[in-house]
Amino acid sequence: MSPTRAKLPFIAYPTTAHTVPEPLGLILVISSWNLPFGLSIEPVIGAVAAGNAVVIKPSELSPASSALLAKLIPIYLDPQAVKVVPGDAQVGQQLLDLKWDKILFTGSPKVGQIVMAAAAKHLTPVCLELGGKCPAVFDHLSSSWDKKTAVNRLLAAKFGSCAGQACIAVDYALVEKKHVSELVDLLKAKIKEMFGDNPRELNTVARIVNKHNFSRLRKLMGDPSVKSTIVHGGSFDEHNLFIEPTIMVDPPLESSLMTEEIFGPFLPIITLDKIEDSIEFIKARPRPLAIYAFTNDDKLKKRILSETSSGSVTFNDAIVQYIAETLPFGGVGESGFGRYHGKFTFEMFSHEKAVMSRGFLIDFWFRFPPWNDHKLNLFKVAYRLDVIGIVLTVLGLKKSKIN
């Protein structure tokens, strides 16, 4: 919150300047159902720290969590500063019809368009966290330890993160054709090790959030051309809203599975002639929220960083970037825009106001009209703090023409 001093050109002497963060005003946070507490509370922390008042609209798809937020927040926080407004999509639309000073929305691109359209009526700035299809580039790793570690991290980021119902979960994997069999065997073995012979009974894989999303995922797998590519899993339990961790190899790229964000426990593996082709594969698609690359090849790492665009890039792990408050979290392009986490949340909900102050004692005569080449040249060298140039110009020894 402290003012930050700013450097000024010599021509402004004697002047002081600094930037001061000020609150934007009234903030609307529309959170998602898959991380109902984190995606609601974390933005509020930064918004309140920046001096704003906040209204939280939690997702109606996680009603128990929404009810708990509505019950507890008024007990611990001033209701004049933070308020929870639970409700369905109609309540959300009523909130969007009001004027806000900033809106943070986490959810699907389809609803994100509705939020932006509503915000545009009041010229309200928005931050959209939309997700997307996050790829995992799986390069050949010579060390067996590296392979097993990478597979562990890949599986945890896919099936361990709310059964894949997370915007930063791995959506699909890219691997060279000659290494796909080895990868599939490792995945199968590690799935059994992590989730047991019967994952539903072990209760380590999350359920699908509701029947609507369960039906959506079943429809993705109902395509015969997709179903024929399953190499592991594929069972559904509608009564318990449970879907077994499922792996498929080379499903059709034009299928809904490969064109829509999966948001479920399906891991498609796409094979490539060489791992470098993964860069063009990623570039040919909407920019993802995150790219995960498991590789020890420094050249490939540099190419991924320089030739692709994404909200974040993580090498040799996945999802862990989300828990680092010193790193900004946010998307780019189709995966959203704006960033928060830690201090970045404070900055997102603040306006950095420029403040300049000077006295009346000193003025440089050459800053005022009428203009001539001599005055303008003095202004030029003074702005650059070119002391020698100032002396030479005043003495008439430097007469460069100003164009």
Side-chain angles (χ1 to χ4, degrees), residues 136 154-155 158-159 170-173 187 245-249 257 262 264-269:
L154 176 65
L155 288 175
K158 178 60 182 181
F159 304 119
V170 173
D171 193 276
Y172 63 93
L187 288 169
T246 302
I247 301 171
M248 56 281 293
V249 175
L257 183 78
I262 295 173
F266 304 149
L267 178 61
I269 299 174

Side-chain angles (χ1 to χ4, degrees), residues 1-281:
M1 295 179 183
S2 299
T4 301
R5 188 166 182 172
K7 292 183 179 180
L8 294 171
F10 176 73
I11 194 67
Y13 180 84
T15 305
T16 60
H18 54 275
T19 57
V20 179
E22 64 178 15
L24 294 176
L26 188 57
I27 308 298
L28 174 62
V29 174
I30 304 176
S31 60
S32 183
W33 51 264
N34 55 342
L35 297 171
F37 295 113
L39 295 177
S40 298
I41 299 301
E42 184 175 7
V44 170
I45 293 171
V48 171
N52 301 281
V54 188
V55 170
I56 308 169
K57 164 59 178 73
S59 174
E60 68 275 15
L61 300 183
S62 52
S65 299
S66 297
L68 189 61
L69 285 169
K71 177 183 177 181
L72 294 182
I73 283 184
I75 297 174
Y76 295 101
L77 297 176
D78 182 357
Q80 296 291 327
V82 182
K83 187 179 291 292
V84 179
V85 180
D88 57 13
Q90 185 177 357
V91 172
Q93 186 59 60
Q94 290 174 340
L95 289 170
L96 288 172
D97 289 338
L98 303 175
K99 179 173 172 53
W100 305 89
D101 294 297
K102 190 149 193 176
I103 299 173
L104 168 62
F105 168 76
T106 304
S108 69
K110 183 179 179 180
V111 181
Q113 292 174 347
I114 296 173
V115 172
M116 278 200 73
K121 296 176 183 178
H122 302 289
L123 297 180
T124 299
V126 298
C127 172
L128 300 181
E129 300 297 346
L130 305 178
K133 296 182 75 64
C134 300
V137 179
F138 206 93
D139 194 10
H140 179 64
L141 301 168
S142 56
S143 164
S144 60
W145 173 265
D146 289 353
K147 291 177 187 176
K148 291 177 181 179
T149 302
V151 167
N152 277 338
R153 294 172 181 176
L154 176 65
L155 288 175
K158 178 60 182 181
F159 304 119
S161 59
C162 206
Q165 298 172 102
C167 57
I168 53 172
V170 173
D171 193 276
Y172 63 93
L174 300 168
V175 68
E176 289 183 352
K177 290 179 181 178
K178 59 185 176 182
H179 301 305
V180 67
S181 295
E182 181 185 20
L183 176 58
V184 169
D185 289 342
L186 279 170
L187 288 169
K188 288 180 180 179
K190 286 296 180 180
I191 286 175
K192 184 177 181 180
E193 183 179 314
M194 286 184 181
F195 307 114
D197 292 321
N198 191 335
R200 182 174 65 84
E201 292 183 356
L202 199 60
N203 284 328
T204 54
V205 178
R207 272 44 177 175
I208 306 306
V209 65
N210 54 32
K211 289 184 178 180
H212 172 75
N213 277 279
F214 186 91
S215 298
R216 178 187 63 82
L217 290 166
R218 173 170 270 177
K219 186 177 179 181
L220 289 181
M221 202 56 58
D223 184 341
S225 62
V226 171
K227 198 170 185 178
S228 63
T229 64
I230 295 176
V231 295
H232 180 82
S235 66
F236 293 76
D237 180 353
E238 186 171 2
H239 178 72
N240 291 292
L241 296 180
F242 177 82
I243 300 177
E244 182 184 9
T246 302
I247 301 171
M248 56 281 293
V249 175
D250 283 330
L253 297 182
E254 66 277 8
S255 64
S256 297
L257 183 78
M258 289 306 300
T259 56
E260 300 175 9
E261 185 177 10
I262 295 173
F263 234 67
F266 304 149
L267 178 61
I269 299 174
I270 305 301
T271 62
L272 308 167
D273 291 330
K274 56 183 186 298
I275 200 62
E276 288 78 10
D277 294 340
S278 61
I279 294 172
E280 290 303 319
F281 189 95

